[in-house]
Amino acid sequence: MSPKRIGAVVSALVVVVAIYLFTGKVDLGSLTGALNPSSSSMDQNEQADYTLVFPKNRYPKTGDHIKDAIAAGESAICTIDRKGAKENRRESLKGIETRKGYDRDEWPMAMCKEGGAGADIRYVTPSDNRGAGSWISNQLDNYPDGTRVLIEVK
C-alpha cells in the first residue's frame, strides 16, 4: 500500500472516529464510505450531473488504477475541461519518466478540471490505457465543458 493511500485511510478513520465521538451516529456504511470514496456515492451523486459506469472487465488495468486512485483520495468526479487538458497533462506527468512498453495513465484524467499537478500516475499497457481513454472520450463527447460526471468502476 502506498504512503499516499495509507495517509488517506488514516485520515478517513480519524474523521469517522471524530464524528462518532461527537455525534454517536456512525454506522458501518459510513465507515465504508469514508474508506472508499467511490462507495459514498450519495454525496458525489448530489455533486454530479451524470454518472458514468466504467467497464473494468474491458479495461482491467485502467479500471484498477481508477479504483485505487479514488480509494487513495483522488476525485471520482470529473468536471469536463477539454481546454485545460494539455496543461493538466503537462503538469500531471512532469517528472514522471516514460517506460518502454507502457503508457503513463493519469487519474483524474487530463480532460478533467480535477486533473493536473498531483494526479495519480500508473504505468499501464498501451492497449488497455488507450482503449479506456477512447471509451471514456466517446461516452463524454456530447457533454459540454463544465459538466460534472461521477465515474464508477464496475
Side-chain angles (χ1 to χ4, degrees), residues 11 25 30 32-33 39-40 51-52 55 60 78-79 86 97-98 103 106 121 124 127-128 145 150 153:
S11 295
K25 296 182 181 178
S30 299
T32 301
S39 70
S40 62
T51 298
L52 177 63
C78 170
T79 305
K86 185 176 180 180
E97 297 290 323
T98 59
D103 284 352
E106 314 152 67
I121 309 298
V124 176
S127 60
D128 193 284
D145 283 3
L150 173 67
V153 179

Side-chain angles (χ1 to χ4, degrees), residues 59-79:
Y59 310 105
K61 300 297 184 188
T62 302
D64 284 343
H65 179 213
I66 295 169
K67 282 187 91 155
D68 292 347
I70 292 169
E74 296 291 349
S75 180
I77 298 278
C78 170
T79 305

